[in-house]
Amino acid sequence: MAVHKAGRKAGRVAAAVAAAALIGAAASACGPDDGSNDGKGGTVSEKPAEKPAAKPDAPASVKGGVITVGDPKAKHTVKVYEDPRCPFCKKFEDGGAQALVQPVADGKVKVEYTIASFLDKNLGGSGSVNAANALRASVDAGKFPQYHAAVFAHQAAEETDDAYTPAFLLKIADKVEGLRGGAFDKAVTNGTYKKWVGEAMDSFSKDGIQGTPTVFIDGKKSGGEALYEQAAFAKELKAAGIS
């Protein structure tokens, strides 16, 4: 899987990334400040997509910079590193991640999310930070899995568009029943959890992750097109004893 490594300016290989995103010719990823993370695909719609990918109605908790979904005592662990603006993370959420829905609901596996925000530095803007802040707020509201799915479902068509404003994130929250409320809205609008967003980014960096999505199944890195195909990722989970 091609991983975008740190050290170059964004914008040099947009066409190649766009082609990979559109036709799935090869598995790709977004990476910190390497230039190949500006995939294009259209324009931002004022009306978000209506049907986010399925997510389990599972509990979520926070420890340090990591959000855990599912039973904390589950036998198996899947670690997921994502940036909200990364188009390949959306591709994972629409594809391979769907194989996790039932095992999480059944208590067989927990998913540990590290939400990065490096694409703001690469591309400009504050969309990743805003989205990560809102995602953290959704944990307190008891709606993280549902809102996480909705955020990726409403990702901008162009990675370079800084679409995740607080106002847009609240519009997305309207799609999640029971999420909107005084505390959540205030946290999204005021950036209440921006300190935590920095902590999450520190966790991403300390773990030595070079691109998103990065996924580990019980400590073993998953890669290739399996991340983007539900059936293929289900096979990897089954091989690890998760089904």
Side-chain angles (χ1 to χ4, degrees), residues 115-165:
I115 307 299
S117 49
F118 59 82
L119 284 176
D120 287 349
K121 180 180 179 181
N122 290 12
L123 304 171
S126 56
S128 290
V129 168
N130 292 339
N133 172 74
L135 286 165
R136 172 61 183 84
S138 73
V139 177
D140 291 348
K143 297 290 182 178
F144 173 80
Q146 299 90 337
Y147 189 56
H148 176 264
V151 166
F152 278 101
H154 302 100
Q155 189 185 77
E158 292 194 16
E159 186 182 4
T160 50
D161 285 329
D162 190 27
Y164 287 131
T165 63

Side-chain angles (χ1 to χ4, degrees), residues 13-28 38-41 88 91 225:
V13 292
V17 174
L22 290 172
I23 67 175
S28 300
D38 48 352
K40 300 178 182 296
F88 300 105
K91 190 176 179 182
E225 284 297 321

